[in-house]
Amino acid sequence: MDTLEHKRYFSTNLLLWYNRHKRDLPWRRSKNPYYIWVSEIMLQQTRVETVKPYFERFVGKFPTVDALADAPEEEVLKSWEGLGYYSRARNLQSAAREVKEQYGGQVPDTKPEISALKGIGPYTAGAILSIAYNKPEPAVDGNVMRVLSRYFLIEEDIMKNSTRAQMERLVVELIPEGEASNFNQALMELGALVCTPKSPQCLTCPVMEHCAARFAGLEDALPVKTKAKPPKPEYRLAALIEGSGANAGKVLVRQRPAAGLLARMWELPHILGPSEAGEGQEETNQLQLRGTLAQDGWDARPQELFMTAEHTFSHIHWNMSVYRCAFLGGAVPEIAAGAAAEADGSAAGSAAGSAGGQAPPSPLYRWIDRADMEQLAFPNVFLRILNRYFG
């Protein structure tokens, strides 16, 4: 079989398979480019089954580009809560505002325009243009690179830009005329369901008869991929400060800065601790945590270890010890005033009073109960802690 026939066989059989076996996914029920855009952003680093309910709730709450553009960021982050990688939500809303202002709320259908939007890289641009607008643009993600590496026996490192460019050119050659939408989705679907990272289901593959990696016995070895640097471990000490008096039944949380990791999300106060927990470390941990809280104007005494928790980001891994703390109500006035002066009040919103009826020392802090959690967006690790506490 020559190269042209080899490619034609691949494309024809892949499309036949997809039309019979494609999953019923909520974003496939429409060619709405906004819906496809939202789904592609959500699916980055996240499993399909996890995304489905989030997608339906999100487009139910923000059904159009304009609705997303006009929504308060807090609502958008709350709707994203639990999906992780929250910069995706911020970039999505920022780009929606660009689309509203520059294109009248219509997602652009040209590569230069859509690629200029915040948070949209080559893959997402290709996915929207091909799936929504049926334009013959490549959409090369991890699933696609795995399929192509195996079928065409491409042994170059898929982490290299040159390899990605090679595969994008190959996809353009493979797309049958008028079938860009289905073909790109078929490629992704084959990688997700059949040509999986481990133990590929070769016997059920629609293109197995001419798969070069299968003939060479390399289906488990491909694709070649440089291993990413493991996330750096960090040991953190968190304070679960329990209110008293008017704030009985509540705990103290703070809002993160307006930029950086988990920007503007809410969390329990926490600090970077020693490199790792060791025996006899509890007293030192508690003293260190209490001292840092005092610097922020809070007099709270750690009493006992409530729980431990872990969370992995792309570049760091948090190992967290959470200490139950008694609030003693003695904020340090000088530090409180300084913190309030330096804090961005607009980022934190209003805050409830302290146990003694005084305003909290910084607008970045507030007391919350279970009901307040429905209004504030928390990273997953703090959701787990607070749900356990209130639950």
Side-chain angles (χ1 to χ4, degrees):
M1 179 178 285
D2 63 29
T3 302
L4 184 60
E5 286 184 47
H6 195 210
K7 292 176 179 177
R8 187 180 296 119
Y9 166 87
F10 178 85
S11 302
T12 300
N13 284 274
L14 181 61
L15 278 171
L16 288 172
W17 171 83
Y18 177 71
N19 288 329
R20 287 195 298 264
H21 299 285
K22 63 183 176 183
R23 289 171 291 180
D24 177 23
L25 301 176
W27 45 88
R28 285 182 178 162
R29 298 168 193 163
S30 165
K31 293 297 183 184
N32 184 327
Y34 168 63
Y35 286 6
I36 291 163
W37 177 17
V38 170
S39 72
E40 289 297 338
I41 298 299
M42 286 187 168
L43 286 164
Q44 294 170 8
Q45 308 288 329
T46 311
R47 295 174 62 252
V48 166
E49 291 306 311
T50 301
V51 166
K52 287 197 298 189
Y54 277 93
F55 171 82
E56 294 185 300
R57 286 194 298 266
F58 195 89
V59 298
K61 188 163 190 176
F62 313 111
T64 64
V65 170
D66 287 4
L68 178 60
D70 295 339
E73 185 185 83
E74 293 77 10
E75 286 186 21
V76 176
L77 289 176
K78 188 64 182 176
S79 297
W80 203 273
E81 186 182 68
L83 271 180
Y85 300 96
Y86 293 94
S87 61
R88 295 181 297 172
R90 294 189 184 89
N91 289 341
L92 178 61
Q93 185 178 37
S94 178
R97 289 169 177 158
E98 292 179 61
V99 172
K100 179 185 176 182
E101 293 168 5
Q102 297 178 28
Y103 306 106
Q106 298 299 312
V107 179
D109 63 356
T110 69
K111 196 167 187 176
E113 290 174 330
I114 204 165
S115 298
L117 298 176
K118 192 167 186 178
I120 294 187
Y123 164 75
T124 305
I128 297 169
L129 292 172
S130 63
I131 297 172
Y133 295 116
N134 203 30
K135 296 202 169 188
E137 294 286 347
V140 176
D141 67 353
N143 283 324
V144 171
M145 287 193 282
R146 185 167 58 255
V147 170
L148 297 180
S149 291
R150 289 170 176 170
Y151 185 81
F152 292 99
L153 198 63
I154 298 171
E155 299 183 83
E156 284 81 8
D157 185 351
I158 63 171
M159 298 300 288
K160 292 182 177 178
N161 290 334
S162 58
T163 307
R164 174 180 287 275
Q166 174 190 356
M167 292 189 175
E168 288 175 342
R169 291 191 297 270
L170 179 56
V171 169
V172 172
E173 295 174 10
L174 292 169
I175 296 174
E177 187 175 352
E179 291 283 3
S181 179
N182 283 337
F183 181 80
N184 277 348
Q185 291 182 88
L187 263 179
M188 300 171 200
E189 194 85 331
L190 188 68
L193 300 182
V194 177
C195 197
T196 50
K198 297 179 181 178
S199 303
Q201 309 299 307
C202 293
L203 294 180
T204 63
C205 178
V207 295
M208 65 169 248
E209 289 184 19
H210 300 289
C211 176
R214 189 176 73 88
F215 286 131
L218 294 174
E219 64 270 23
D220 290 321
L222 293 175
V224 174
K225 182 179 180 181
T226 302
K227 289 187 177 180
K229 187 177 180 181
K232 177 185 176 183
E234 285 187 358
Y235 183 61
R236 293 198 161 262
L237 312 175
L240 188 64
I241 303 173
E242 300 175 299
S244 58
N247 290 311
K250 296 184 177 183
V251 297
L252 189 69
V253 296
R254 70 183 181 191
Q255 191 176 41
R256 292 180 66 84
L261 180 69
L262 304 173
R264 289 188 290 274
M265 298 192 76
W266 292 83
E267 64 182 5
L268 294 176
H270 61 100
I271 63 171
L272 185 64
S275 58
E276 60 180 277
E279 288 191 21
Q281 191 72 44
E282 293 297 306
E283 185 176 352
T284 302
N285 286 350
Q286 293 183 21
L287 287 172
Q288 183 178 355
L289 187 57
R290 185 172 186 179
T292 303
L293 292 169
Q295 290 175 16
D296 277 356
W298 297 101
D299 189 2
R301 183 177 64 243
Q303 295 180 308
E304 61 182 358
L305 182 67
F306 175 66
M307 64 179 288
T308 58
E310 294 184 30
H311 190 76
T312 302
F313 302 94
S314 57
H315 59 298
I316 54 174
H317 178 85
W318 282 355
N319 295 282
M320 188 172 289
S321 292
V322 185
Y323 290 92
R324 206 176 203 131
C325 302
F327 177 60
L328 306 181
V332 183
E334 296 83 0
I335 295 175
E342 294 176 7
D344 178 3
S346 63
S350 60
S354 69
Q358 299 176 346
S362 165
L364 296 176
Y365 287 84
R366 64 177 287 182
W367 295 99
I368 67 159
D369 56 19
R370 164 66 93 180
D372 293 318
M373 288 181 64
E374 299 303 316
Q375 307 301 320
L376 308 178
F378 291 88
N380 287 349
V381 62
F382 296 105
L383 272 181
R384 295 198 300 272
I385 297 166
L386 290 169
N387 281 331
R388 178 168 171 180
Y389 178 78
F390 287 122

